Amino acid sequence: FFGCCCFFPLTTAFFPLCLLFPSTAMAVDKAKFVELLAALQSKDNEVRKKAETMYEQAKQTEPESTMVGFLTIGGSTDVPDATRMQAAVLLRRQVLKGPDKDFTFPRVSHNGQQAVASELLRLFQTEQNPKMQNKIGEVIASLADYVCDEEDPRGTLAPGTCGWPALLPMVFTMADAGKTASAASCESSMRLLKELVSTLRNPIVAAKTELGVVLQNGLAHPD
């Protein structure tokens, strides 16, 4: 998809960028993403630098594909937790407002942006590892800072709304000990809600009834 398949040796094999970062309509090659993430952490300078070159090129050329890949790794329970967390860290950099080199979310198609946002919420809801759930929450909070910016609505996922209409209802539900059986998930959700206050202060204040229920049920929960 780069016009030609550019090969980089990472560990013991050569593989093409077009297979590592396929179009989003294709299935992500999870094994190759895992290999890339491992190479990015390699102690071998040559391996690491070639992986960094590959990643930077793909991130700029196919930001949507890299996000899909990292989301796939982040949601794969058969992948080591350390690798999943690394994928979440790199994904967060792509949605965090900052230098254009890293902040690639605005260059993703609108449908792609909505798909990424929806998948992040799904992963947060289904994640069983508290540490990984918190990492996903950090990605969500960073993305919210962009898509829910009242002063600059250009990044909104849904014009005329808070920017991400599905976000707060999900967080309130997950943080409510009366609706969520897992105490760890409630704690992760309360942590996420706290991170969202600076961005979504007005919508959170407006939802004082829901917030009151969350706090009341949290105080009454035995854990």
Side-chain angles (χ1 to χ4, degrees):
F1 65 47
F2 294 108
C4 65
C5 287
C6 303
F7 288 79
F8 287 83
L10 287 186
T11 53
T12 59
F14 287 77
F15 55 88
L17 286 172
C18 54
L19 293 182
L20 179 61
F21 299 101
S23 91
T24 52
M26 299 169 61
V28 170
D29 191 332
K30 188 166 67 175
K32 294 301 184 184
F33 260 93
V34 170
E35 186 175 355
L36 172 68
L37 289 167
L40 288 170
Q41 296 292 315
S42 176
K43 294 180 180 180
D44 184 316
N45 287 337
E46 183 178 357
V47 170
R48 187 177 65 255
K49 287 180 180 179
K50 287 179 178 178
E52 289 171 350
T53 298
M54 177 188 295
Y55 171 53
E56 288 300 324
Q57 181 182 350
K59 184 173 62 175
Q60 298 305 319
T61 310
E62 292 286 345
E64 190 166 331
S65 293
T66 61
M67 290 183 192
V68 170
F70 292 144
L71 281 168
T72 299
I73 298 301
S76 298
T77 55
D78 59 333
V79 173
D81 287 339
T83 302
R84 297 172 66 211
M85 290 183 189
Q86 183 189 2
V89 168
L90 293 178
L91 178 60
R92 180 175 177 270
R93 291 176 185 171
Q94 288 190 262
V95 304
L96 180 66
K97 285 192 293 186
D100 291 342
K101 180 175 75 72
D102 295 316
F103 181 40
T104 59
F105 187 79
R107 293 194 281 107
V108 173
S109 68
H110 184 65
N111 287 341
Q113 290 180 350
Q114 291 182 320
V116 167
S118 295
E119 181 65 3
L120 280 170
L121 298 187
R122 188 191 72 79
L123 291 179
F124 186 82
Q125 289 174 284
T126 58
E127 181 56 52
Q128 300 299 306
N129 182 326
K131 290 183 178 180
M132 185 63 195
Q133 191 173 42
N134 286 333
K135 284 294 182 185
I136 297 170
E138 291 171 4
V139 181
I140 291 173
S142 295
L143 180 57
D145 190 46
Y146 172 64
V147 302
C148 301
D149 188 342
E150 293 181 350
E151 297 181 359
D152 184 2
R154 288 177 296 175
T156 182
L157 296 172
T161 72
C162 68
W164 193 349
L167 176 55
L168 279 183
M170 184 280 289
V171 176
F172 281 133
T173 298
M174 291 287 292
D176 189 345
K179 298 177 180 178
T180 302
S182 169
S185 287
C186 288
E187 183 178 345
S188 295
S189 301
M190 287 298 294
R191 175 177 175 173
L192 173 56
L193 184 60
K194 182 179 178 180
E195 293 178 354
L196 292 171
V197 168
S198 60
T199 301
L200 292 167
R201 182 181 301 277
N202 291 334
I204 290 174
V205 170
K208 58 184 178 180
T209 300
E210 292 90 335
L211 181 59
V213 171
V214 168
L215 295 176
Q216 182 177 1
N217 288 339
L219 291 172
H221 197 279
D223 294 334

